[in-house]
Amino acid sequence: MAPTREGAAGRDDRSVTGKLFMLLSAFRSGSAELTLSEIAHRSGLAMTTVHRLVGELTERGVLERGSDRRYRVGLALFEIAALAPRGPGLREVALPYMEDLYEVTRENVQLGVRADEEVVFVERLAGRASVGVRTRIGGRFPMPPTGVGLVLLAHAPSEVRQRVLAAPLRRFTSHTLTDPERVRRVLADVRRDGFAVSDRQVTSDALSVAAPVFDGSGAVVAALSVVLRFGSVRPSSLAPAVRMAARGISRALSSAPDSTGGSLAG
Amino acid sequence: MAPTREGAAGRDDRSVTGKLFMLLSAFRSGSAELTLSEIAHRSGLAMTTVHRLVGELTERGVLERGSDRRYRVGLALFEIAALAPRGPGLREVALPYMEDLYEVTRENVQLGVRADEEVVFVERLAGRASVGVRTRIGGRFPMPPTGVGLVLLAHAPSEVRQRVLAAPLRRFTSHTLTDPERVRRVLADVRRDGFAVSDRQVTSDALSVAAPVFDGSGAVVAALSVVLRFGSVRPSSLAPAVRMAARGISRALSSAPDSTGGSLAG
DNA sequence: ATTTCGTTTCCGTTGAACGGAAAATCCGGT
DNA sequence: ACCGGATTTTCCGTTCAACGGAAACGAAAT
């Protein structure tokens, strides 16, 4: 074994499919542009193997080479990923409603779905006046501290909830809830009220209000949130607007031919 | 050796990488949800091969299974594609400027880049009042009839321009320009004026005004456009606004640490 | 000029990928 | 509930694509 220090890597690196996945995942951590040897190092694959695979991927546009000859994720991957029903597909029908919400609040409007035990943010509208957020589109984030996460967690299968609350809850600010029992009670409130408030859980100057998005079968498939600067408005006063927008998306999803209901079995 | 000119439909289905690419590309044409045998049929691969590959992809979240057991593109692919500098990376810095433009016009605001000899749309903002467009995010479109396409083509390497104008120009409406010489003159105007107008080239009720987006080195890396209902405003009156927004994006790109300049050699 | 670091080519070995065949499962029809 | 056709999944012997060590090549830095 080489002295590579990757802990998160998958177990199965025998198949080409697995190698390709590890190779592409190398771009997730760190910068968006990598040299061949950086890819080899981060993916834990042999140089020659990476060289061959990267060559083929580049030929097909899955990777591209920049002016400095570095490799970057290419458009071909973007084109295929654009077809993901829970990603851009969902975004497509949600956008007009998010737009409305943005106009009213002038603050970050976020749309997220659950992947395993984390949130993946699918879309975010932000103007230049919006308060800064630590999330990135296509990026993961723990569920408990975020508004969308609370909604998704509240409506997730109980096994998922168990597992998430069994793990230590990461602290971001002095307000972050780290007691599983407290969070459990918050989740019950979220289910009762139909919306969630995350008060300075991620950054000390922001809070978010979130509401669930349902598919045709009544399952929660996503969550919508607005991120506000702390102190600017009373959170609960925005709940109706967020819920309205979320319901608008839900309705659009039900009537759309392309059902976006999906489950990630734990 | 020399880069293969054969373009899209590569006959190289020997390598696993190629097979995976063909497999995933099966989702491009037609619906977003496919059964195993549909994937096998569309990709041209053997059932057992597809079965094995699809199984592994599903394990990693690159594909997902819906409630009806059909396969769809999964979030893992979306997460990786989100790192593409010319895709979501570009979108991220462009969004606030696009937002501004949307507010002023209340119409479709589009951002596109060139891939080979076509446009790939990276982002589109649209309200409910906007006119319908035939483009899709992550989708391809011929360059000559679209606003963004005209800008990208005008600033593309001359070989690209040659090839595009050598091929027959597809007609969408009675106004679509199909004479290469006419288009060539339009492209010269685009370079001189700093913006492009596509008048009812794609649909008879819409026209678009587009301007180039530059990276730090002065190369055109993208194009921004507004799609208007025909007759609502005089196109040239919007040119300054579009150019302003495009320049804003250009400036943001230059100062960003992550250069998004990229070339796709012909 | 020499070192260093990254990239690319070469080639013999090997096991992952392959796909035909058959079993298992699903599904609409009766 | 029962049947027949279509779809999905498992099994397994064969083979060729994938592999990676070694060495040549290229480009900056010293």
Side-chain angles (χ1 to χ4, degrees):
Chain A
M1 296 298 272
T4 40
R5 38 170 299 276
E6 83 273 49
R11 237 351 347 116
D12 191 4
D13 59 341
R14 304 285 253 273
S15 68
V16 177
T17 309
K19 287 181 187 182
L20 283 172
F21 188 72
M22 290 163 73
L23 192 160
L24 290 174
S25 296
F27 288 88
R28 278 211 273 229
S29 50
S31 76
E33 297 192 330
L34 301 174
T35 68
L36 190 66
S37 33
E38 280 175 326
I39 297 174
H41 183 251
R42 295 194 192 199
S43 63
L45 300 172
M47 272 291 302
T48 51
T49 301
V50 172
H51 180 257
R52 178 166 24 85
L53 294 179
V54 153
E56 217 168 343
L57 290 173
T58 305
E59 229 171 74
R60 297 206 161 69
V62 173
L63 292 180
E64 293 171 3
R65 311 197 69 160
S67 40
D68 52 357
R69 310 218 73 196
R70 284 229 184 87
Y71 292 97
R72 49 179 66 162
V73 177
L75 276 186
L77 206 60
F78 171 70
E79 291 180 50
I80 296 172
L83 303 166
R86 300 213 298 151
L90 175 61
R91 184 214 104 105
E92 185 71 14
V93 324
L95 185 64
Y97 303 94
M98 295 179 69
E99 205 79 69
D100 290 346
L101 203 48
Y102 170 73
E103 300 235 350
V104 177
T105 61
R106 297 258 137 208
E107 283 288 2
N108 293 277
V109 175
Q110 295 184 314
L111 182 71
V113 298
R114 182 172 65 82
D116 304 315
E117 287 149 40
E118 296 176 297
V119 201
V120 169
F121 286 93
V122 169
E123 176 62 312
R124 177 173 73 237
L125 292 182
R128 255 158 308 179
S130 310
V131 55
V133 292
R134 304 176 54 88
T135 55
R136 198 177 46 74
I137 290 179
R140 290 174 171 246
F141 216 83
M143 284 196 275
T146 69
V148 293
L150 283 175
V151 169
L152 293 171
L153 189 55
H155 294 91
S158 57
E159 318 94 71
V160 174
R161 225 156 34 231
Q162 307 275 294
R163 252 178 292 144
V164 170
L165 294 180
L169 300 174
R170 184 164 155 212
R171 169 180 293 285
F172 290 90
T173 74
S174 57
H175 296 86
T176 307
L177 297 180
T178 53
D179 175 24
E181 214 36 63
R182 287 284 300 279
V183 175
R184 215 178 285 273
R185 252 175 286 141
V186 170
L187 293 178
D189 291 346
V190 172
R191 276 188 295 270
R192 171 167 48 78
D193 302 335
F195 70 91
V197 175
S198 156
D199 187 357
R200 289 165 291 171
Q201 299 284 294
V202 179
T203 55
S204 331
D205 62 345
L207 93 191
S208 68
V209 184
V213 174
F214 304 90
D215 69 355
S217 71
V220 173
V221 293
L224 181 72
S225 80
V226 176
V227 183
L228 307 161
R229 193 176 303 280
F230 173 74
S232 57
V233 220
R234 211 175 68 248
S236 55
S237 71
L238 267 171
V242 179
R243 294 183 69 190
M244 284 281 284
R247 282 175 160 270
I249 300 173
S250 305
R251 195 172 343 101
L253 280 179
S254 308
S255 57
D258 201 11
S259 105
T260 312
S263 57
L264 271 172
Chain B
M1 305 310 191
T4 44
R5 78 291 304 144
E6 216 44 75
R11 265 288 67 82
D12 188 6
D13 58 343
R14 300 296 245 269
S15 70
V16 177
T17 307
K19 288 180 188 184
L20 283 172
F21 188 72
M22 290 162 75
L23 193 161
L24 290 173
S25 296
F27 287 88
R28 278 211 274 226
S29 52
S31 76
E33 299 193 328
L34 300 175
T35 67
L36 191 64
S37 34
E38 281 174 326
I39 297 174
H41 182 250
R42 296 191 190 203
S43 63
L45 301 171
M47 273 290 302
T48 51
T49 300
V50 172
H51 181 257
R52 177 168 23 86
L53 294 180
V54 153
E56 216 170 342
L57 291 174
T58 305
E59 229 171 75
R60 297 208 161 70
V62 174
L63 292 180
E64 294 172 2
R65 311 197 68 161
S67 40
D68 53 356
R69 311 214 76 201
R70 284 231 185 84
Y71 292 96
R72 49 178 67 161
V73 177
L75 276 184
L77 206 59
F78 172 70
E79 290 181 51
I80 296 172
L83 303 166
R86 299 212 300 151
L90 174 61
R91 185 214 103 107
E92 185 71 14
V93 325
L95 186 63
Y97 303 94
M98 295 178 70
E99 206 79 69
D100 290 348
L101 203 49
Y102 170 72
E103 300 236 351
V104 176
T105 61
R106 297 257 136 208
E107 284 289 2
N108 292 278
V109 176
Q110 296 184 314
L111 183 71
V113 299
R114 184 172 65 82
D116 305 316
E117 287 150 39
E118 295 176 295
V119 200
V120 169
F121 287 93
V122 169
E123 175 63 310
R124 176 174 73 236
L125 293 181
R128 255 158 309 179
S130 311
V131 298
V133 292
R134 304 178 55 87
T135 55
R136 200 177 43 75
I137 290 180
R140 289 175 173 246
F141 217 82
M143 283 195 274
T146 70
V148 293
L150 282 176
V151 170
L152 294 172
L153 189 55
H155 295 89
S158 58
E159 318 95 71
V160 174
R161 219 152 41 227
Q162 307 276 293
R163 254 177 291 143
V164 170
L165 294 180
L169 300 174
R170 185 166 155 210
R171 169 181 293 284
F172 289 90
T173 73
S174 57
H175 297 86
T176 307
L177 298 180
T178 52
D179 174 26
E181 215 35 63
R182 287 282 301 279
V183 175
R184 216 180 284 274
R185 253 174 286 141
V186 170
L187 293 177
D189 292 346
V190 171
R191 277 188 295 270
R192 170 168 47 80
D193 302 335
F195 71 93
V197 174
S198 155
D199 187 356
R200 289 166 291 171
Q201 298 286 294
V202 179
T203 55
S204 331
D205 62 344
L207 93 191
S208 68
V209 184
V213 173
F214 304 89
D215 71 355
S217 72
V220 172
V221 294
L224 180 72
S225 80
V226 176
V227 183
L228 306 162
R229 192 176 303 278
F230 173 74
S232 57
V233 221
R234 213 176 66 249
S236 55
S237 71
L238 267 170
V242 179
R243 293 184 69 190
M244 284 280 284
R247 281 176 161 270
I249 300 172
S250 304
R251 196 172 341 100
L253 280 179
S254 309
S255 57
D258 199 13
S259 104
T260 313
S263 57
L264 270 174

